[in-house]
Amino acid sequence: ETGVTQTPRHLVMGMTNKKSLKCEQHLGHNAMYWYKQSAKKPLELMFVYSLEERVENNSVPSRFSPECPNSSHLFLHLHTLQPEDSALYLCASSLRTDHGYTFGSGTRLTVV
Amino acid sequence: EDQVTQSPEALRLQEGESSSLNCSYTVSGLRGLFWYRQDPGKGPEFLFTLYSAGEEKEKERLKATLTKKESFLHITAPKPEDSATYLCAVKSGANSKLTFGKGITLSVRP
């Protein structure tokens, strides 16, 4: 365990479903991130939260909705996804946004 | 815009055969270059951070070096357990985010 816990580890959902991914860290970090990892592509940053405030949204479709209720928890709410959204979704945290990241193990999402 | 290019895309080595992985980057004001290791089905695991040209860091069989244009991850006498994907990422003064390369998949045969 890295100190960043993601649940569930695997998720299969239909295009009309609504689901949420959860990320939790107790490292005392102040910044949290959502990344998307697809085969043969670099990790793509989706959202950045610093001190529970969203500081970056990288042109992510509105069918992905992040939530950061406190500095230890981060959610990614999913609705009406497309098959091309199937990927490994990684959560990460850092002490500050200019520090290295600690990653969770990811949620493998399959949209059918 | 920050850019990171890693090469080769994949590398196969015999156990004990030393080699190097390359990470070329273009950034505006480097604030850190990061190396991560990623095993299948897991998230990236932090290895090193390098901040300025000429800096070197070592951990077991791995040694990371940095110039103004690229970084190398040298693997000395690799073992099968070193097989993984190695990711390089940069952070610049203009961004609060890490920009990643596509990664290099290393396979070490016994």
Side-chain angles (χ1 to χ4, degrees), chain A residues 8-13 19-21 78 87 107-111:
Chain A
R9 290 296 308 275
H10 300 274
L11 178 62
V12 179
M13 59 186 289
K19 296 286 184 183
S20 295
L21 310 185
L78 316 172
T107 295
R108 173 65 64 183
L109 174 67
T110 303
V111 181

Side-chain angles (χ1 to χ4, degrees), chain A residues 9 35 37 56 97-98 101, chain B residues 31 36 38 41 91 96 98:
Chain A
R9 290 296 308 275
Y35 273 87
Q37 188 174 34
E56 190 157 342
T97 55
D98 59 348
Y101 300 173
Chain B
R31 296 189 65 177
Y36 286 85
Q38 186 173 22
K91 182 167 286 190
S96 62
L98 285 181

Side-chain angles (χ1 to χ4, degrees), chain B residues 7-63:
Chain B
S7 61
E9 187 174 316
L11 182 62
R12 290 191 170 193
L13 300 175
Q14 196 68 36
E15 184 172 3
E17 179 187 1
S18 301
S19 188
S20 297
L21 312 181
N22 177 262
C23 172
S24 298
Y25 64 91
T26 304
V27 298
S28 175
L30 182 70
R31 296 189 65 177
L33 184 139
F34 302 81
W35 281 100
Y36 286 85
R37 169 192 170 129
Q38 186 173 22
D39 293 299
K42 294 189 176 182
E45 175 189 347
F46 172 75
L47 292 174
F48 305 108
T49 307
L50 302 168
Y51 293 102
S52 58
E55 189 175 359
E56 299 182 353
K57 289 192 176 174
E58 287 188 68
K59 179 181 179 181
E60 296 180 354
R61 295 177 293 282
L62 301 177
K63 179 180 177 180

Side-chain angles (χ1 to χ4, degrees), chain A residues 2 9 33 35 37 40-43 45 48 55-56 58 88 90 94 96-106 108, chain B residues 4 9 31-32 34 36 38 40-46 49 51 85 87 91 95-103 105:
Chain A
T2 64
R9 290 296 308 275
Y33 312 81
Y35 273 87
Q37 188 174 34
K40 304 294 184 183
K41 290 185 178 181
L43 271 73
L45 179 67
V48 179
V55 298
E56 190 157 342
N58 268 21
L88 181 67
L90 291 162
S94 65
R96 298 198 314 251
T97 55
D98 59 348
H99 278 214
Y101 300 173
T102 301
F103 282 88
S105 294
R108 173 65 64 183
Chain B
V4 178
E9 187 174 316
R31 296 189 65 177
F34 302 81
Y36 286 85
Q38 186 173 22
K42 294 189 176 182
E45 175 189 347
F46 172 75
T49 307
Y51 293 102
T85 296
L87 302 172
K91 182 167 286 190
N95 283 316
S96 62
K97 66 178 185 180
L98 285 181
T99 300
F100 282 84
K102 292 183 179 182
T105 301

